[in-house]
Amino acid sequence: MSSQTETDRSGPFDLLVVGGGIVGLAVAREAAAAGASVALVDREVVRGGDATDVAAGMLAPVGELDFGEPDLLKMNLDSASLYPDLCVELSSETGIETGYRRSGGLHVAPDADEAAVHRRMLELQVESGLDSRWLGPGRARELEPALSPSIHGAVFAADDGSVDPRMMALALEESATRSGAILLRGREIASLLLEDDRARGVRLADGPEILADETVLSCGAETGRLSWLEPDLRPPIRPVKGQVLELAGDPGDPICHRAIVSERVYVVPRPDGRVIVGATVEEKGWDRTVTAGGVHELLREAYRVLPEVAELEFLRASAGFRPGTPDNLPIVGRTVCSGLSLATGHYRNGVLLAPLTGRAVAGMLADGLDHAPGMEAADPGRFRSRAGVV
Ligand code: GLY
């Protein structure tokens, strides 16, 4: 590795990642593990404050399936299939347990209207080759005894699972640094360094330059408004607010054993007894307020499917921003500026898509490819004709 520490110039690194959420960490970890010299810059002093830290961690290629999104389904399934081995590797490398579970998801209908919606989605899931099936109320309650007696049935989505995103990010960070990646936290960026129209790294706000052959931006929703990036290079990403609750339950007697999902809420149990209740979907720009209405809606809807949530201790409520894109696909690949790539825009699937994104971006850069392999549909070029961006 050719890095120096904290002089006026560091590098040149093979790769500089900007953004230390789960996606940036996955890219850094994958590249460092493959032998690249890697630096990662994040403006937060400690991990926290980004979408990773409020995410419930549902790994839900089935739960997130919608009509007309076959490319997203394929990427989601491909990334879900990387999770089991990755979590075993991370655990043996770092000793950090990610809380990964492939216990399926239960899409519960609290009333007849929602039952009709779930049955229609089940048709789509089965047409898409997914292992999902309808369970009547009795069968659903055998699987999850705390479900309300008044539910109208449920879809069991066998391919879904969950992970603790914070532990996953911690494990990726630890693994990346063990492979030699250098993490610079609490550092703002002042400008992109350009040489003959090629990106060559960044200048930090406190002075030093971090030189790199390739720079990857993984700043989540912020990527759409980076002040130090030319407007033409900013991807079309908007913040989509989500409010999330954290409750404390008994790990020895969990309220549920898998993600319980209805139209307006999901309840995700963690191995340590915590229960995550998420999430509102709000188009309110950069407003991060936790509102009484948001908390009320989440608790009301959770109570409809799992009345015992009322007994759990309320730990906290928080809000974060999903990086939304015009077509709900992520934005992963090279920009028109050589040496500058994007790994962002994962909207509702950042935690799920992190392993695939890490592998695809590291592979693209290592092999000098034009597109991120396995994520071609996410290439930034699809927006070029629209607005002259990215
Ligand atoms: N992945 C679930 C959400 O974005 O709320």
Side-chain angles (χ1 to χ4, degrees), residues 64 266 279 322 348:
E64 293 294 334
Y266 47 78
R322 306 172 182 88
R348 296 178 60 89

Side-chain angles (χ1 to χ4, degrees), residues 58 64 266 278-281 322 347-349:
M58 270 196 305
E64 293 294 334
Y266 47 78
T280 62
V281 180
R322 306 172 182 88
Y347 188 37
R348 296 178 60 89
N349 297 296

Side-chain angles (χ1 to χ4, degrees), residues 10 31 54 59 115-116 125 154 163 190 205 271 283 288 301 317 340 353 365:
S10 328
V54 292
L59 304 175
Q125 290 162 15
V163 74
E283 297 282 359
R288 201 193 271 271
E301 293 300 322
L340 184 70
L353 284 171
L365 299 177

Side-chain angles (χ1 to χ4, degrees), residues 192-195 197-201 212-215 337-340:
L192 182 69
L193 298 174
L194 289 167
E195 196 182 291
D197 290 333
R198 183 183 170 92
R200 291 289 179 193
D213 294 337
E214 300 283 353
T215 300
C337 175
S338 62
L340 184 70

Side-chain angles (χ1 to χ4, degrees), residues 315-352:
L315 293 179
R316 66 186 62 85
S318 47
F321 300 114
R322 306 172 182 88
T325 66
D327 56 8
N328 296 340
L329 284 172
I331 303 181
V332 177
R334 295 188 187 272
T335 70
V336 287
C337 175
S338 62
L340 184 70
S341 299
L342 296 167
T344 184
H346 294 75
Y347 188 37
R348 296 178 60 89
N349 297 296
V351 178
L352 172 57

Side-chain angles (χ1 to χ4, degrees), residues 40-94:
L40 183 149
V41 180
D42 192 272
R43 66 182 192 175
E44 303 292 336
V45 179
V46 289
R47 277 210 43 66
D50 54 36
T52 303
D53 293 280
V54 292
M58 270 196 305
L59 304 175
V62 185
E64 293 294 334
L65 177 65
D66 211 340
F67 292 93
E69 295 183 341
D71 291 328
L72 184 60
L73 173 63
K74 176 156 181 9
M75 284 187 265
N76 283 347
L77 287 171
D78 288 349
S79 201
S81 74
L82 299 176
Y83 252 97
D85 286 352
L86 176 58
C87 289
V88 170
E89 273 171 40
L90 289 172
S91 165
S92 70
E93 271 174 38
T94 69

